[in-house]
């Protein structure tokens, strides 16, 4: 890897902090821009943290002027799907308008490479349970739309400037640093495994299964859960790809197979060694029955090889972190 600097927006958040740690291990110079609205200073194990917003043109311009930045990895975003439905303008402001601002500054300052956190939410409810990059995009919530708008801006910009990009469409990120140094600390989390682990450690009373009558293997929703370490690594591979002259591209990142809600909860109970308080509820609005990636292109184009495609490892690392968080909340309370 080179001597240039990488700017990571949202680097104090869940996926961002794992990526920053890996960049540190790879010997990269890193500057982190994070407004700490949902991220934590204690999660930043490498690089220089600048507290601020991607929507603040003067600040972004200053950061880009003061550092020799060739690559930007853009994680900073709001990510709670139900909240995006009740407060869409908050999502379009932060995820779309602020990103436009960031892109304008990157363009002005000659940033060469841009890596963007996109999402499988751009597919909405595909006809098949599998989604490939050419599956039509049809988001069903403002969160997905706000991310798709950035994909569009990036595509248009790639025709009008020298900046190249990789947009990574994440499937269901889960798990934490296997050495338990950092993890997912998001307050009021809604993601299945995080909530189940909070129940396991006694932070919540019960986990609800949203729907048991789906046309799936056991009636519960099926998703493609990918370990955060592998997802973070995809960003490092994307940097190599762009620095080696790769063309702009949009890629799914997932393992290509799925687990049901019941299989996830069974794994938590088995690894934790005690039962969870599980309550069955009606379906949650907007949930597709099954969503699994076809993610071959990321392996061939980016030379990405997943190392943590193992449900037990995903669940154990998430549980270990949740116990650590319960016993040492310092720096991770909001
Ligand atoms: C997540 C992502 C979304 C992405 C999608 C890809 C976020 C906030 N969401 O959404 O961007 O497009 O993965 O597949 O990052 N469930 C329960 N009980 C719970 C929580 C969830 O039964 O308490 C079920 C859901 O109904 C669903 C599955 O578990 O079937 C996963 O849900 P969740 O973890 O919330 O992720 P997604 O909604 O898939």
């Amino acid at each position: 890897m080179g001597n240039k600097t990488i700017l990571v927006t949202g680097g104090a958040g869940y996926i961002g902090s794992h990526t920053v740690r890996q960049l540190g291990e790879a010997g990269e110079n890193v500057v982190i821009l994070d407004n700490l609205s949902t991220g934590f200073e204690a999660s930043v194990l490498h690089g220089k943290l600048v507290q601020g917003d991607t929507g603040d043109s003067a600040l972004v311009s200053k950061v880009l002027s003061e550092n020799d930045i060739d690559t930007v990895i853009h994680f900073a975003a709001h990510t709670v799907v139900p909240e995006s439905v009740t407060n869409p303008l908050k999502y379009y402001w932060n995820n779309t308008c602020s990103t436009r601002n960031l892109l304008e500054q990157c363009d002005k300052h000659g940033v060469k490479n841009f890596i963007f956190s996109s999402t499988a939410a751009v597919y909405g409810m595909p006809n098949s349970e599998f989604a490939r990059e050419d599956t039509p995009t049809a988001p069903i919530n403002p969160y997905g739309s706000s991310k798709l708008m950035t994909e569009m801006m990036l595509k248009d910009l790639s025709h009008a400037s020298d900046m190249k990009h990789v947009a990574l469409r994440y499937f269901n990120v889960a798990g934490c640093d296997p050495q338990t140094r950092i993890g997912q600390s998001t307050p009021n989390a809604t993601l299945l495994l995080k909530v189940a682990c909070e129940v396991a450690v006694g932070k919540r009373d019960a986990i609800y299964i949203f729907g048991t009558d789906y046309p799936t293997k056991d009636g519960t929703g099926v998703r493609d859960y990918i370990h955060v370490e592998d997802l973070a690594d995809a960003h490092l591979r994307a940097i190599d790809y762009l620095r080696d002259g790769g063309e702009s591209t949009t890629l799914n990142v997932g393992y290509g197979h799925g687990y049901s809600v019941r299989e996830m909860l069974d794994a938590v109970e088995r690894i934790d060694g005690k039962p969870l308080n599980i309550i069955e509820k009606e379906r949650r609005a907007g949930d597709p029955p099954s969503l699994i990636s076809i993610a071959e292109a990321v392996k061939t184009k980016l030379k990405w090889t997943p190392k943590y495609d193992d449900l037990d490892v995903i669940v154990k690392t998430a549980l270990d972190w949740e116990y650590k968080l319960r016993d040492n909340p310092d720096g991770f309370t909001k």
Side-chain angles (χ1 to χ4, degrees):
M1 292 211 167
N3 294 320
K4 296 272 184 183
T5 298
I6 297 168
L7 172 64
V8 181
T9 76
Y14 173 40
I15 308 169
S17 64
H18 285 77
T19 304
V20 166
R21 204 206 72 240
Q22 288 189 10
L23 289 169
E25 289 161 5
E28 291 285 357
N29 303 322
V30 179
V31 175
I32 297 106
L33 178 64
D34 197 302
N35 65 12
L36 299 181
S37 63
T38 53
F40 298 87
E41 202 170 343
S43 295
V44 179
L45 299 187
H46 173 73
K48 185 175 75 180
L49 173 65
V50 176
Q51 189 174 346
D53 224 273
T54 51
D56 181 342
S57 298
L59 178 63
V60 174
S61 179
K62 184 168 182 285
V63 169
L64 291 173
S65 305
E66 288 176 355
N67 298 279
D68 188 14
I69 291 167
D70 71 329
T71 301
V72 172
I73 312 181
H74 181 38
F75 293 103
H78 294 316
T79 61
V80 182
V81 174
E83 186 192 36
S84 80
V85 176
T86 54
N87 195 353
L89 295 183
K90 175 176 175 181
Y91 279 69
Y92 289 118
W93 181 253
N94 192 33
N95 297 2
T96 310
C97 299
S98 292
T99 301
R100 186 213 157 273
N101 186 74
L102 174 68
L103 286 171
E104 183 175 44
Q105 292 306 321
C106 289
D107 191 32
K108 274 191 186 156
H109 288 266
V111 169
K112 291 199 160 41
N113 311 317
F114 195 93
I115 296 161
F116 173 57
S117 300
S118 191
T119 169
V122 299
Y123 296 116
M125 297 255 204
N127 290 335
S128 149
E129 64 179 338
F130 291 97
R132 209 172 55 186
E133 289 83 355
D134 58 359
T135 298
T137 51
I140 53 163
N141 51 58
Y143 169 69
S145 302
S146 70
K147 290 280 185 171
L148 185 58
M149 286 178 172
T150 295
E151 285 194 13
M152 291 169 172
M153 288 193 283
L154 282 168
K155 265 190 202 115
D156 291 341
L157 195 56
S158 71
H159 299 305
S161 82
D162 292 335
M163 194 171 77
K164 299 276 185 278
H165 68 268
V166 174
L168 298 175
R169 292 177 175 164
Y170 309 159
F171 282 67
N172 288 58
V173 58
C176 299
D177 170 25
Q179 292 184 41
T180 331
R181 290 161 293 186
I182 50 175
Q184 191 184 7
S185 313
T186 323
N188 310 315
T190 57
L191 296 183
L192 176 69
L193 183 57
K194 173 74 179 170
V195 175
C197 290
E198 288 185 350
V199 176
V201 309
K203 268 194 198 167
R204 295 192 197 218
D205 294 337
I207 173 93
Y208 297 95
I209 298 184
F210 298 137
T212 54
D213 59 350
Y214 283 110
T216 56
K217 45 188 152 186
D218 59 18
T220 66
V222 172
R223 295 289 184 277
D224 184 343
Y225 293 90
I226 168 176
H227 196 288
V228 67
E229 284 288 296
D230 279 334
L231 182 57
D233 179 60
H235 297 77
L236 274 75
R237 303 285 71 80
I239 297 170
D240 287 347
Y241 168 82
L242 289 174
R243 282 182 174 165
D244 287 348
E247 287 302 314
S248 295
T249 186
T250 299
L251 299 167
N252 284 344
V253 196
Y255 289 149
H257 60 84
Y259 294 105
S260 71
V261 175
R262 279 204 205 282
E263 286 173 329
M264 296 300 287
L265 299 185
D266 285 350
V268 174
E269 290 182 324
R270 180 166 45 76
I271 291 163
D272 193 40
K274 60 181 186 335
L276 292 168
N277 181 20
I278 298 173
I279 300 172
E280 294 180 5
K281 280 187 75 168
E282 65 277 12
R283 295 180 180 194
R284 189 173 66 175
D287 273 346
S290 188
L291 189 58
I292 300 170
S293 66
I294 295 176
E296 292 307 313
V298 65
K299 292 182 191 148
T300 49
K301 277 198 181 174
L302 302 192
K303 302 188 182 74
W304 176 70
T305 311
K307 298 184 188 69
Y308 298 90
D309 181 2
D310 179 327
L311 180 59
D312 285 19
V313 173
I314 291 176
V315 170
K316 177 149 186 358
T317 56
L319 267 172
D320 286 350
W321 175 251
E322 210 56 57
Y323 277 109
K324 180 169 178 182
L325 207 52
R326 184 193 66 180
D327 299 334
N328 310 279
D330 295 357
F332 297 100
T333 46
K334 278 205 191 291

